[in-house]
Amino acid sequence: MRKNIAIFLSFLFISITSVKAETMIGITGALHMLDVSGTETTRSSGERNTGSESENAVVPEFFIEKEADGVALGLSYIPTKNMGKKSRSDTSTTGDGQDTGTYSAEAELSDVFQVYVDYTVSQYAGADIYLKGGLQFATIETLESLNSGSTYPNEDVYGFTLGIGAKGALPYGNNLFYKADITYTEFSDYENNDEAGTGNKVEADLNDTAVKFSVGYKF
């Protein structure tokens, strides 16, 4: 996945070197509102246990853009963000007692890259109003603690992002600017069997609504 990102970005930035484009770098403070729903199928009984979790997280984000003629092509990076934790206690009905105990599911999104396009559609009160479209790449790192001893593998996922925002020059400092936007991302499903081959299976769906404010410098 990382190799594919590098190839895509090389093509993206090379494709705009023939036009006059500004380079813009900055940092973002983002409130992410994550919604996770999932199903676990237990090994012995075949019982399906479903659950959902909502988690809010404020995380930093770093970005670089190239902008020309109202179109900005960019890359952003988030080191990690927690997806929440969910626990339950089960009592076995199979007689062997192996499924009795506390099951704790926890996961993180790590190394979240996004390639995106901001397209200016209007101006209002001195700010450019833009629409955003992007593609995110991330790794789901599972941090579960299961009574059965089951563990699940990490998995690379991707997500499609849509959003709207505004940007403009800051009233102090040369070449400083701000951005503010709201985005929605739908990630591909996570689906894996237990690494030990016991027959346990987990399926999960993730989406993310984010409110962001950025400051940056252009040159």
Side-chain angles (χ1 to χ4, degrees):
M1 178 179 291
R2 301 293 181 257
K3 181 180 179 180
N4 291 336
I5 294 173
I7 293 172
F8 179 86
L9 290 176
S10 296
F11 174 78
L12 183 152
F13 283 102
I14 289 173
S15 67
I16 59 173
T17 55
S18 61
V19 299
K20 184 178 179 181
E22 292 183 309
T23 300
M24 309 168 75
I25 59 174
I27 186 170
T28 301
L31 170 62
H32 291 269
M33 293 162 279
L34 294 155
D35 289 315
V36 184
S37 60
T39 301
E40 179 194 29
T41 304
T42 56
R43 61 182 182 181
S44 298
S45 63
E47 180 182 0
R48 291 172 59 87
N49 300 290
T50 61
S52 61
E53 178 74 5
S54 296
E55 182 80 9
N56 295 339
V58 177
V59 296
E61 183 175 329
F62 307 94
F63 68 90
I64 182 170
E65 297 178 358
K66 286 281 192 176
E67 182 180 37
D69 299 327
V71 179
L73 304 174
L75 167 70
S76 66
Y77 172 70
I78 303 173
T80 185
K81 55 185 176 184
N82 193 279
M83 293 165 54
K85 182 175 182 179
K86 194 77 171 180
S87 298
R88 74 170 198 277
S89 295
D90 283 356
T91 300
S92 175
T93 59
T94 62
D96 58 13
Q98 293 184 30
D99 292 329
T100 298
T102 299
Y103 292 71
S104 176
E106 184 177 4
E108 288 181 347
L109 282 175
S110 66
D111 291 333
V112 184
F113 288 90
Q114 180 179 212
V115 289
Y116 61 88
V117 176
D118 291 344
Y119 180 71
T120 299
V121 294
S122 183
Q123 285 78 37
Y124 179 77
D128 293 335
I129 309 301
Y130 60 87
L131 301 178
K132 179 186 291 289
L135 182 61
Q136 293 197 36
F137 306 87
T139 298
I140 293 181
E141 295 187 353
T142 62
L143 307 171
E144 68 279 332
S145 174
L146 304 180
N147 179 69
S148 63
S150 295
T151 58
Y152 294 93
N154 300 337
E155 183 173 291
D156 291 338
V157 294
Y158 62 88
F160 294 101
T161 299
L162 295 174
I164 187 170
K167 60 184 175 183
L170 288 172
Y172 47 85
N174 292 330
N175 297 328
L176 294 179
F177 68 93
Y178 72 89
K179 294 178 67 177
D181 55 39
I182 182 169
T183 62
Y184 175 81
T185 302
E186 182 73 30
F187 284 92
S188 57
D189 292 345
Y190 174 92
E191 182 175 335
N192 267 309
N193 295 317
D194 168 61
E195 290 184 305
T198 63
N200 286 5
K201 181 180 180 180
V202 164
E203 303 166 79
D205 177 70
L206 167 66
N207 58 70
D208 174 31
T209 301
V211 178
K212 305 180 179 182
F213 184 80
S214 310
V215 292
Y217 180 80
K218 58 184 178 180
F219 51 92

